[in-house]
Amino acid sequence: MWQLARRVIRQTLNDKRSVGLILLAPLLIFTLIYFLLGNDDYTPIVAISQDVPAPVSRAIEKQDLSIKTYNGSDANAYLKEHETVDVVLDMKDNELALNLREPSTKSSKALREIQAGLATLQPTMQLETNYLYGDVDQSTFDALGFVFLSLFSFFFVFILSAMALVKERSGGTLERLMMTPIRQTDVIFGYTLGYSVFASIQAILVVLYATTVLDLPSEGSIIWVFLTMLGLAVVAVLFGATISIFAQSELQVVQLIPFTIIPQIFFSGLIPLDLIPYGLGNIGYITPIFYGASAIKEVLVYGNGWSSIWPYWLGLFLYGAALFLLNMLALNKYRGHQKRHG
Amino acid sequence: MDLRLNGVSKSFHQQNVLQQIDLLIPSGEICGLLGPSGSGKTTLIRLMIGAIQADTGTIQIGDNSMPSFKMLPEIGFMPQNDALYEDLSGLANLQFFGSLYNMSRQDLTERIEEVLTLVDLTNDQKKLVRHYSGGMKKRLSLAISILHRPTVLFLDEPTVGIDPVLRRQIWNQFQAIRAQGTTIVVSTHVMDEINECDRAALIYNGRIIAYDPLDRLLAQTENGQVEELFLLAGKDVT
C-alpha cells in the first residue's frame, strides 16, 4: 500500500500539469469566482419623468442611483435609444410606471433602490431586515462559497485519479501490477492514500486562501471544512477509479463528464433542493458532492460542528465504501475470480 | 517447474479464441509460441499466468493450478505493450515493482543494479521513461519482469518493432536468463526466431498445429522453413 502511494506521489510530482491542475487551478478559479460573484459597486441609471411628483423624485434621488431626466412619451423607445439607462420611471394615469430594460441584476438592483426610496416617504412602511444567518451586505460569493469549496475538492481530484487509472488500465500497468503479489485492497488504499496527500495540500491551500485572502466568512471552525473537503476528495479518488472502469481512454473520461460531474453541480446547493420541481431534488441524495457541500454549509453558514455534520459524513463514508467494493470487484478479474463463461 | 496444459479452451463473446490446447513445457527450456497475429498467443500466455481463467481444461505450473495467488512471485511477465510508468524514471519503475515482492531492501538494490547491467540501461536509469526510445522501453520492461528472479518467465512478443541488432541482443539476454535455470515461454510471429527456442508450438486459428522440440519440427518440413507447416494447416482449413 505504501509503495503504491509513494509511486502515485512521485509520478504526480513528475507531471507538472497534474500538480498545476490540483494546486493552482482551484486558486485561480476561486479568484475568478470571487470577482464575478463578489459585491459590485455598480450604480444603476434611472431616468425620471418630469411628471413624477417632486417629493417622490427627490426621495429616489437620495438613493444610490444615477439620475437622468426623461421627458418623452414612449419609455420603451427611450430605453432603446439610451443603452446605458436601466430604468425609466414615468407617470401613467396618475400612477407611477416602471419600465425596465430586461430582467437582470442591474434592473433588480435599481428596483431595490427605488423601493427603498419610496419607503422613506411613508415611514411606517419601512422594513428592517435581519437574517438569522449571514447579513444583508453578503455577496453571492459569500453565500455560495461552500458550493465552490466542495466542487473543487471533488472535481480536480476526480479528473486526476480517473485519468491516471484509465491510463493504467489501457497501458497494461494495472495488469502488470496485479501479476505481482500485491493485495487488491492495497491497490485501492494505495491509490486513495497517494492522491489524498495532494488533496489535503489542496484543501489547506484553498480553505486558507478563501478565508484569508478572499475574506470568505466562516461561522464555524474551518478545521471541519478542511476535514470534509478531504473526505470528499477521498470519495473523488474512488469515484474516478470507478469511472475509469467504464472508460477505454482518457478522452472517454472527458466524454463522461456530462453524466458524472455536471448533474452533481446542480444538486450541490447552488439551487435549494426543495425548489427543484417534481421531487427531482431528491437526486441530490445519490450524489457525493451533495453530502460534502451540505456539511461544509453547516459549518460555514450555520456555524455548526460535529453534531450537525456527522450525518453527511456518514453519507460520504457509505458512498466511499460502495465505490470501494465496486473497485474490488473490478480488480477481481485480474486474479481469475470471475465467473466462468458459458 | 514443468508447465502443463490439458484441454484448455477459451472464448470471448461466443468466439472461440483457443480450442483444446494441450502442452507440456519442461522446466528450464525456452518454448516458443509461434503464430500469426490474432492466432491466440496473447490469450494463451494470459491464461498461463492466471490473468484470465480458462473455460474448460486445467493449467498447472508445478503442482499448482492456475490462477494461483501463491504462484505470482514465481512468475515473470513481460506484456506485449510496454506497461511502464512514463512519468517515473527507469530506476523508479524498477524500485516500485521490486518493492511489491518480498525482497530485502539490500537485495533489491543489488538486484536492480544487476538487471540494469543485463539490459544495458545503467547509464539511463535516472531518465524519465517518457524520454526513452522504443528499444529502451522494451529492455526496461524485460528488466522488470526478471527483477524478482521468477522461475517461469512469460514474454509476449518481446521483439516486435525492434531493429535486428537489438533483437540479437535481447535474444542473447533470454539465453543468459535461461542459463540461470529459468523456464521461458515466448510468443512471436517472426518465423526465424524459432531457431532460438528449444521447442515450439505452432498456433493457428486457436489450435496447436504442431508442438515438438526444434529439430523434430524442422524435420517435418522439406527445406527447414516452419512457414510450410502453417501453409499446410491453412490448406486443411479450406
Side-chain angles (χ1 to χ4, degrees), chain A residues 3-4 7 10-11 14-15 168 170-173 175-177 179-182 333-336 338 340-341, chain B residues 46 49 51 53-55 69 72 77 79 81-85 87-88 92 95-96 99-101 130 141:
Chain A
Q3 306 93 316
L4 216 149
R7 192 212 82 213
R10 269 175 136 179
Q11 208 182 353
N14 281 341
D15 179 16
E168 289 233 9
S170 59
T173 43
E175 181 166 75
R176 181 169 234 169
L177 187 63
M179 284 299 114
T180 73
I182 193 171
K333 79 165 196 176
Y334 291 101
R335 289 278 162 84
Q338 100 266 45
R340 283 161 177 259
H341 294 286
Chain B
R46 295 181 70 219
I49 62 175
Q53 207 165 28
D55 298 337
F69 186 74
L72 289 178
F77 172 47
N81 50 359
D82 297 320
L84 302 166
Y85 295 105
D87 291 323
L88 293 180
Q95 284 169 338
F96 168 63
S99 69
L100 302 175
Y101 293 94
R130 209 189 302 152
S141 184

Side-chain angles (χ1 to χ4, degrees), chain B residues 54-67:
Chain B
D55 298 337
T56 59
T58 56
I59 301 166
Q60 283 182 306
I61 300 182
D63 295 329
N64 298 281
S65 295
M66 299 304 289

Side-chain angles (χ1 to χ4, degrees), chain A residues 71-90:
Chain A
N71 43 18
S73 55
D74 187 346
N76 283 342
Y78 181 85
L79 277 174
K80 266 186 194 159
E81 249 173 67
H82 301 79
E83 288 189 356
T84 52
V85 176
D86 298 304
V87 182
V88 173
L89 185 62
D90 200 2

